[in-house]
Amino acid sequence: MKKVIKNGTIVTATDTYQADILIENGKICMIGSQIEVDGAEEIDATGNYVFPGGIDPHTHLEMPFGGTVSRDDFETGTIAAAFGGTTTVIDFCLTNKGEPIANAIQTWHDKSKDKAVIDYSFHLMIGEINENVLNELPTVIEEEGITSFKVFMAYKNVLQADDETLFRTLVTAKELGALVMVHAENGDVIDYLTKKALAEGHTDPVYHALTRPPEVEGEATGRAAQLTGLANSQLYVVHVSCAEAVEKITEARNKGIDVWGETCPQYLALDISDLEKPDFEGAKYVWSPPLREKHHQEALWSALKNGQLQTLGSDQCSFDFKGQKDLGKGNFTKIPNGGPTIEDRVSILFSEGVNKDRITLNQFVDIMSTRNAKLFGLFPLKGTIAVGSDADIVIFDPHVERVISAETHHMAVDYNAFEGMEITGEPITVMSRGEFVIKNKQFVGKLGSGKYLKRAKYGELKNVVTES
């Protein structure tokens, strides 16, 4: 059935204007004034913004970690994402050393099959580089459409890769047309500081942050950027949390190195004091990189404003406080790393960013959607409102005031990291390829309706014409 969105204010990364949108066969087929189509369903967006659907470039759904598994899977995670105004997620596919990459990718396809209610894709973790891996990567790109590789510089003896692996991944990515992503923390130094803290009897959650100081993130970010320049490759630094990392990204970009930076809502709105909450409540806020002193927040907002950071990911990786986070009582290293953030990413960026004049409305759209589409091979199929693009659309009420709470969120986890936070703005209706997922704040989507997306190579466009 054809649909017409009427009377809304359309906002893209570059324009803000009033117009109607005609949707047919999952695509935007017309944008204009006073569109009238017999038999079309009319959706009144009076007083609301009409945004392109959010793209979350950083999720960990049903991810194993420290002997447990993150609570939100591709069903609950994508439903919560949709409630929050996100219509595409890119999840991290973890690999095992010595095993074919194809096995890991199949595991992620199995996890997501018949569950997702919005579209999704995968990044691929690179934990080792050898002839077997190098032989598989062209197939990963050409057949699976996975055009981004993740390297961990932290989690020693678990996920951490050495500098040779990182450098060879950068060289290979340049040859194949992929974007390399890094978790930039110096894992060796963290390992030393962690052992020292435990030996001295420091076991509380706050020591998770104190053993991962900003310097180890800044050092690793700078090292990764320098290696990117040496390889003449391209780099995306995930979950930037501190001024030290921003400084290294800015320095590299000023030298002409192709480096991009992502931050997350938790670093914009929370700080290290949350880790100090009594009765082990601080464990709720254990993720990596850790929360920082409050002054780092303005450095991150400034970087989003001036373009030295370009995107916002959620780093969604939810663990229950009871039964999972409390595995670390008496030893902060046993606390599963991660938090529930997928549902509140878009609204926090709007409320704390646009409403407080830290970023413009068009920057908001670019940061939460458009830039991610461009960097990860989905634009202009996704990430904008244009004729020929997928009708991934969010109707957003910019005036409603609400309080974030676990009592009202849709994630499958027993707490909310932003509990009690007062914000302004909320998605009202969310469409994925022209079909309602959220309608008037109610879930009306279908499990398995989300499609797996094969993405274009780095720097290339994704054809907006539907493949036959």
Side-chain angles (χ1 to χ4, degrees):
M1 184 179 181
K2 296 178 181 178
K3 298 181 179 72
V4 181
I5 300 174
K6 299 184 72 67
N7 308 316
T9 300
I10 298 171
V11 186
T12 69
T14 54
D15 298 297
T16 303
Y17 59 98
Q18 290 191 314
D20 298 344
I21 301 171
L22 177 62
I23 298 165
E24 186 175 7
N25 297 322
K27 298 284 185 180
I28 296 170
C29 59
M30 184 186 297
I31 300 172
S33 298
Q34 300 178 334
I35 296 174
E36 303 293 340
V37 178
D38 289 341
E41 178 179 359
E42 291 194 0
I43 303 146
D44 186 8
T46 301
N48 295 326
Y49 289 128
V50 181
F51 298 138
I55 298 174
D56 190 339
H58 190 158
T59 66
H60 301 282
L61 301 175
E62 199 179 328
M63 190 196 83
F65 187 98
T68 188
V69 178
S70 63
R71 284 284 285 121
D72 282 290
D73 61 8
F74 277 86
E75 178 180 332
T76 64
T78 58
I79 289 172
F83 270 105
T86 291
T87 56
T88 300
V89 297
I90 313 180
D91 203 70
F92 285 95
C93 172
L94 301 185
T95 57
N96 296 313
K97 290 183 179 180
E99 296 183 11
I101 288 173
N103 290 1
I105 295 173
Q106 186 57 52
T107 296
W108 252 253
H109 279 305
D110 292 342
K111 287 175 191 255
S112 54
K113 181 177 173 60
D114 299 327
K115 287 186 176 181
V117 303
I118 57 175
D119 292 349
Y120 62 97
S121 189
F122 304 144
H123 306 295
L124 180 70
M125 171 193 166
I126 303 292
E128 60 182 347
I129 283 284
N130 52 42
E131 290 308 308
N132 291 334
V133 172
L134 291 172
N135 288 336
E136 280 196 85
L137 288 181
T139 301
V140 167
I141 290 177
E142 299 298 335
E143 295 187 11
E144 293 287 345
I146 297 175
T147 53
S148 43
F149 305 149
K150 170 77 172 288
V151 178
F152 287 88
M153 300 173 76
Y155 301 112
K156 189 172 183 177
N157 301 321
V158 182
L159 298 172
Q160 184 176 330
D162 59 23
D163 285 352
E164 180 185 355
T165 299
L166 172 57
F167 186 69
R168 292 184 68 185
T169 301
L170 286 161
V171 171
T172 303
K174 180 64 176 181
E175 296 170 352
L176 298 178
L179 179 59
V180 178
M181 312 170 77
V182 287
H183 176 134
E185 291 183 290
N186 187 317
D188 293 325
V189 174
I190 291 169
D191 185 61
Y192 169 82
L193 294 174
T194 299
K195 289 175 179 175
K196 182 175 183 290
L198 291 176
E200 293 172 352
H202 301 309
T203 62
D204 291 340
V206 71
Y207 283 93
H208 174 75
L210 299 179
T211 56
R212 307 176 88 103
E215 290 82 359
V216 302
E217 185 181 344
E219 185 279 329
T221 302
R223 178 158 37 104
Q226 290 291 339
L227 292 177
T228 302
L230 184 61
N232 189 29
S233 191
Q234 48 273 343
L235 184 74
Y236 180 98
V237 184
V238 301
H239 51 43
V240 172
S241 73
C242 62
E244 286 82 351
V246 170
E247 180 182 339
K248 293 299 182 181
I249 291 170
T250 302
E251 183 180 293
R253 289 173 61 82
N254 288 342
K255 290 180 178 178
I257 301 174
D258 194 2
V259 180
W260 306 87
E262 162 202 284
T263 190
C264 307
Q266 52 270 37
Y267 304 119
L268 297 172
L270 305 175
D271 63 71
I272 194 172
S273 65
D274 290 295
L275 284 160
E276 299 172 321
K277 290 184 176 180
D279 301 322
F280 201 64
E281 289 277 325
K284 294 178 177 179
Y285 306 92
V286 167
W287 43 68
S288 300
L291 293 176
R292 304 298 186 189
E293 297 287 346
K294 196 171 182 63
H295 67 84
H296 288 278
Q297 292 177 0
E298 288 310 315
L300 298 175
W301 280 114
S302 177
L304 287 173
K305 177 71 174 178
N306 65 31
Q308 299 304 343
L309 293 178
Q310 299 82 24
T311 69
L312 191 78
S314 68
D315 196 9
Q316 162 75 17
C317 192
S318 57
F319 297 99
D320 279 336
F321 179 56
K322 295 179 180 179
Q324 291 186 300
K325 289 285 190 177
D326 56 12
L327 294 171
K329 280 188 175 179
N331 184 343
F332 69 88
T333 68
K334 304 292 186 183
I335 302 170
N337 279 213
T341 48
I342 199 168
E343 187 167 350
D344 301 307
R345 179 185 73 103
V346 172
S347 290
I348 287 176
L349 183 67
F350 180 85
S351 186
E352 293 292 301
V354 177
N355 278 354
K356 295 187 177 180
D357 295 324
R358 288 165 162 151
I359 56 173
T360 68
L361 191 57
N362 303 108
Q363 283 181 311
F364 160 81
V365 171
D366 196 43
I367 291 164
M368 68 94 175
S369 181
T370 309
R371 184 61 53 182
N372 291 319
K374 290 179 177 179
L375 287 172
F376 294 107
L378 292 171
F379 189 84
L381 186 71
K382 308 287 189 183
T384 193
I385 293 177
V387 173
S389 297
D390 280 356
D392 293 358
I393 292 173
V394 176
I395 299 176
F396 189 92
D397 183 343
H399 305 296
V400 62
E401 297 179 353
R402 60 192 179 97
V403 177
I404 296 176
S405 175
E407 291 185 1
T408 52
H409 76 200
H410 302 87
M411 295 174 283
V413 65
D414 65 3
Y415 77 99
N416 192 298
F418 307 102
E419 186 72 35
M421 184 176 176
E422 298 177 357
I423 62 171
T424 302
E426 182 178 25
I428 303 300
T429 293
V430 178
M431 305 170 74
S432 173
R433 283 177 283 104
E435 297 299 324
F436 293 109
V437 184
I438 309 298
K439 189 173 185 180
N440 298 322
K441 302 186 188 181
Q442 300 298 313
F443 174 68
V444 295
K446 296 178 181 178
L447 295 185
S449 61
K451 288 185 177 181
Y452 173 75
L453 302 172
K454 295 182 179 181
R455 296 180 284 118
K457 294 180 180 180
Y458 178 70
E460 295 181 356
L461 295 179
K462 185 71 175 176
N463 196 332
V464 297
V465 177
T466 303
E467 297 175 3
S468 58

